[in-house]
Amino acid sequence: MADKKIRDFYTTRRKILKGMLGAAGAGALGCMLVPFGTIKAPSGKKGRQKIAKGDRLVYAVGPNAGKEIKVSDLAINKGTLAFPKGKEEHNNLILLFRAKESEFQKPTKINYTVDGFCAYSAICTHMGCTVEWYPEKQFSFDFPHLFCPCHQSVFDVFHGAKVLAGPAPRPLPQLPLMISGGVIAAAGDFDGPIGPQPGGK
Amino acid sequence: MVYEWLNERLDLDRFKKKYLTKVFPVHSTYFFGEIALFSFVILILTGIYLLFSYTPSSRLVEVGGKKLPAAYHSILLINSQPLGVIIRYVHHWAAHIMIAALILHMIRVYFSGTFKKPREINWLVGMVLFTLAILAGFTGYSLPFDVLSVVATGIGYEIANSIPYIGPAIAKFVFAGQFPSPGSVPRLYMYHVVLLPLLLMVTIGLHMLVMVKQKHSQPYQNKDIAKSGKILGIPLYPQQLSLMMFVFFFTLSVLFFLASFLPVHNVEYFGPPTLQTPMVKPDWYLLWIYGIIKLIPGNWVIPLGSSASISPEVIGGILLPGVIMTIIALVPFMYKEKEPLNYWEPASLRPIGTSAGVAFIIMFIALSVTGYQAELNIPITVCRVYTIALPIIAFFITYFIIRKKREV
C-alpha cells in the first residue's frame, strides 16, 4: 500500500515535470515568433491625391503619354487611358472615351459628361485590373463597353458603367468632366471609391 | 580500401544490409511520386543556377534609355546567357510536371484505397506537400516581375485583402505592404527560395520517413504470391536504383524537350509592367479556383455588420476552395477500418468513395473549362448548370457501373 503511494507520488511528479518541460519549450518557441509580428512593411502607395476641378487630363500610355488631351483628338467611339496632370498615380487611372451625347442614359450622370466625352475610373472594382475600351462587338455585346481582361467583367458605358457580366461587385466610379481651352479637364473627383475595397466593405 | 577504412569506423555493412536491401514493389503507378520527387530535385538544381543572376527588386534601373524593374532586367540577362533561357524554362516546366505528378500520385492512392488505415498520416502530409508546391508555384510566378507576374500576384493580394476584418492586415504582412510595394518582390523571393523549399524538404522527408516505416502498400495480386507481412518486389540496390536513375534522366530529358519546343513565361513577349492589363489566366492548376470566382454571382455578399462583409471573392477564392481541399484531406477519416490495409483494394469495393472521386475529378475539369468560358463563348448560366450537373451525373454513372459489375 505504501509502495503504491510512493510510486504514485513519483509518477505524478514526473508527469507534472514533463508537462512543464513541454510548456516551457512551446513558450520559448512561441516567443521566437514575436519578432515577426513587429516587422513593418515599407510604405508603398498610400491612398491617392484627390482629383480637383480644373485638373487637365493627359494621355497615360502610348507615344503621346504625358500630353494633354485636346477635344479634337478623340473622334466618336474612340477611347484612351488618361491621368489627371500632376497626379499620375495608379488609382487615378481614368478611362476617357467619346460617344454620341444622345446615347447616355441614367444612371450615367449626364451632367458629368461634356460634348460626348465621358470618363470612368479604369480600375476594375473586382480585383483592380485595368479595364479596356471595346467600341466593337465582343461576345454577345454589340455596343461600346468597358471590359476587364482579368475576369471578363463587362461594364455598360451608357448606363453609368453598370455591370452587365462578370464578377465585378459595383459599377465603375464616374469622373465629372469639363472643357477648358480646348482641352479635356476634370470638374471634380470620382463619385465613388476606386477599385476593390479591403475587407469586403 | 576506402570502403574498408570507413566500414571499420561506421559499420557500413550493417547499413547496407538494413537499407540497400529494402524491397520496392513494382508497378508503373509508383513512379508518379518519384517523378514529383525528381522534379523537385531538378527545381532545386535549376533554381540554384537562376539564383546566380536574379535580382530580387522591383526598383527601376535604367537600361538603354528605358526604365525597367531590376528583377525583370535580371531575367533578360539570364535569357541572354548561353544556357540561361533553357534552364529557366526547365525550371518552370519542372514546377508544372511536379504538380501534375503529385495529382496523378494522389489519384492513384485514392482509387487504390491505400489512404486508409494505417496511411492516414501520409495522406495528410501529402496534402500539405501539395499545398506548399502550389504556393511555391504562385510565388515563383511573381518573381520575373513582368506584366503577367504583377497582374497575377496583384489578384492574389486582392483576394487576401478582401477577407473581412483580418484580410487587409494579412495581405499587408504577407506581401510586405500594398502590392506592389518596394518590399513585395524581396518578400516573395524569400518565400520562394528559402521558406517554401525548406518546408517542402521537411514535408517530403516526413512523407518518405512514414513510407519507409510503414512499408509500401502493394498491388493486390501480390497478396496471393507473397506471405502476409512480406513485400514482393525488387531490392533498392541495384535494381530499384537503376530504375530510379532511368526515371530521373527520363524526367530530365522530357523537361528539356518541353523547354526547347514549348517556351513558357516568355518575359520578352509579355514585357515589363504597364498600366494596361493583358488577358491573364492563372496556371492550369489554379484554373479551377479562377472558374469558381467566375461562377459566383456578384451579388453573393454575406453582410457582417456595417463595416465588413464576406464578398464573392472570399467565397470563390478562399471559402469554397478551402472547403473542397478540407473534404479531400479528411477522406481517410470517412472510413472505419479495424484491420490495417496493406494491399491495394479494388475501387469497386468502395462504390460511393470511387463515384465521389470520379465526380470530384469531373468537377475540377468543369471548373477549369469555365475558366475559358468567355473564349469558348459559353454563357455563364450554362457553366453554372454543368458545373453542378456533370459531377452528379458522373457520380451516378460510376455508381451504377460498379453495381452492375458486382452483380455479374
Side-chain angles (χ1 to χ4, degrees), chain B residues 310-322:
Chain B
I310 299 177
S311 61
E313 294 84 78
V314 177
I315 298 174
I318 294 169
L319 285 182
L320 282 177

Side-chain angles (χ1 to χ4, degrees), chain B residues 90-109:
Chain B
V90 167
H91 188 78
H92 199 129
W93 269 115
H96 287 294
I97 296 290
M98 178 172 170
I99 289 173
L102 286 176
I103 292 171
L104 290 174
H105 178 68
M106 215 160 103
I107 289 175
R108 196 276 290 165
V109 170

Side-chain angles (χ1 to χ4, degrees), chain B residues 262-280:
Chain B
L262 299 164
V264 274
H265 210 121
N266 188 338
V267 290
E268 282 103 333
Y269 174 74
F270 299 124
T274 59
L275 290 168
Q276 279 150 316
T277 302
M279 286 286 226
V280 280

Side-chain angles (χ1 to χ4, degrees), chain A residues 3 32 53 74 101-102 104 118 130 162 198:
Chain A
D3 267 5
M32 289 174 195
K53 188 173 180 177
L74 287 188
E101 259 172 285
S102 56
F104 291 107
C118 182
T130 306
K162 109 182 151 188

Side-chain angles (χ1 to χ4, degrees), chain B residues 11 13 33 44 50 67 77 79 110 158 163 171 178 208-209 226 243 246 258 270 322 327 333 354 367 384 391:
Chain B
D11 197 6
D13 280 342
I44 299 254
L50 295 172
K67 282 198 167 164
L77 286 180
N79 284 359
Y110 184 78
E158 290 301 346
I163 303 172
Q178 194 176 354
M208 307 237 265
L209 200 70
L243 274 179
F246 172 77
L258 289 168
F270 299 124
I327 291 173
F333 305 100
T354 301
L367 285 170
R384 285 186 187 129

Side-chain angles (χ1 to χ4, degrees), chain B residues 110 335 346-357 395 398-400 402-403 406:
Chain B
Y110 184 78
Y335 294 86
S348 56
L349 290 183
R350 284 167 279 115
I352 292 177
T354 301
S355 312
F395 179 90
T398 322
Y399 190 78
F400 285 113
I402 292 171
R403 287 298 281 280
R406 279 169 107 189

Side-chain angles (χ1 to χ4, degrees), chain A residues 93-112:
Chain A
L93 198 60
I94 297 159
L95 202 129
L96 175 76
F97 66 95
R98 193 174 193 183
K100 278 193 212 111
E101 259 172 285
S102 56
E103 299 239 47
F104 291 107
Q105 312 273 325
K106 276 194 173 163
T108 314
K109 289 181 176 152
I110 296 165
N111 58 333
Y112 275 26

